[in-house]
């Protein structure tokens, strides 16, 4: 199993030409990441596999702090996807750290060849539950996550077709007006 608690302070200092010689931010962040991997043998269509079941919980708490005095140089809203659902920040870059009080729950299952380790099939589903309304935004007037109890959900699947080809399907859902469903299918590296 996995149990990783984390506590740290995100500290930023910038020298700007907008009147403030130094702009600083210190922000405490707390997280707990917990998961496990269960395996069992599985015979399917005359072939032997190892099937995994991998539940994961990720709790994140970031205090709300006004950051409007920090100019936006390289920060934007990160794309929501299965990898980002476990991130400490919904923004890319360092100019904003989003406040959070949220829990992400996900499960992954894989079918793996027990002799070669080749992953033939993988399915992942996860969702993020918000316990508090969002306060920190990129720009004043931006839409806030105001739906306590609202869920962002992500589904990801992959199927190994040959030794060098994999088919991937993804779907992300956000119940907020600023975001939309994002279905994605394709062949990576194709």
């Amino acid at each position: 199993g996995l149990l990783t608690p984390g506590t740290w302070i995100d500290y930023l200092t910038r020298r700007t030409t907008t009147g403030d010689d130094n702009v600083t931010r210190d922000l405490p962040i707390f997280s707990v990441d917990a998961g496990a991997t269960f395996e069992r043998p599985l015979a399917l269509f005359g072939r032997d596999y190892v099937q995994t079941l991998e539940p994961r919980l990720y709790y994140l708490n970031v205090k709300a702090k006004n950051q409007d005095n920090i100019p936006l140089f390289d920060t934007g809203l990160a794309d929501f996807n299965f990898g980002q659902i476990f991130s400490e920040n919904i923004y890319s870059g360092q100019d904003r750290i989003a406040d959070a009080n949220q829990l992400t729950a996900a499960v992954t299952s894989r079918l793996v060849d027990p002799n070669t380790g080749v992953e033939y099939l993988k399915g992942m589903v996860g969702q993020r539950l918000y316990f508090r309304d969002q306060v920190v935004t990129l720009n004043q007037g931006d839409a806030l996550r105001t739906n306590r109890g609202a869920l962002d959900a992500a589904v990801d699947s992959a199927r190994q077709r040959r030794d060098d080809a994999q088919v991937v399907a993804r779907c992300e859902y956000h119940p907020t007006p600023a975001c939309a469903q994002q279905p994605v299918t394709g062949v990576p590296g194709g």
Side-chain angles (χ1 to χ4, degrees), residues 143-144 147 174-180:
L144 300 174
N147 294 333
H174 312 273
T176 59
C179 301

Side-chain angles (χ1 to χ4, degrees), residues 80 152-153 170-184:
F80 179 78
D152 287 338
R170 293 185 172 108
C171 182
E172 292 89 25
Y173 174 76
H174 312 273
T176 59
C179 301
Q181 296 179 10
Q182 302 175 6
V184 177

Side-chain angles (χ1 to χ4, degrees), residues 66-176:
N66 187 328
Q67 302 167 51
D68 291 341
N69 64 330
I70 302 171
L72 294 175
F73 292 111
D74 63 352
T75 297
L77 185 62
D79 286 339
F80 179 78
N81 56 49
F82 201 85
Q84 199 275 336
I85 202 169
F86 295 101
S87 173
E88 291 86 20
N89 193 7
I90 62 170
Y91 301 122
S92 63
Q94 291 297 312
D95 303 321
R96 292 291 182 277
I97 301 293
D99 58 304
N101 184 5
Q102 62 197 35
L103 178 69
T104 300
V107 66
T108 299
S109 184
R110 307 169 200 263
L111 285 182
V112 179
D113 185 304
N115 299 316
T116 65
V118 171
E119 182 180 278
Y120 286 105
L121 186 65
K122 174 173 63 175
M124 303 180 291
V125 62
Q127 61 186 26
R128 186 186 289 157
L129 175 65
Y130 302 103
F131 299 118
R132 177 180 71 216
D133 295 347
Q134 177 188 5
V135 175
V136 177
T137 60
L138 288 178
N139 300 295
Q140 291 181 352
D142 283 354
L144 300 174
R145 281 188 326 248
T146 57
N147 294 333
R148 280 187 234 176
L151 299 174
D152 287 338
V155 177
D156 203 344
S157 63
R159 165 78 167 95
Q160 187 76 29
R161 298 287 300 173
R162 298 188 321 250
D163 288 341
D164 61 346
Q166 186 181 59
V167 177
V168 175
R170 293 185 172 108
C171 182
E172 292 89 25
Y173 174 76
H174 312 273
T176 59

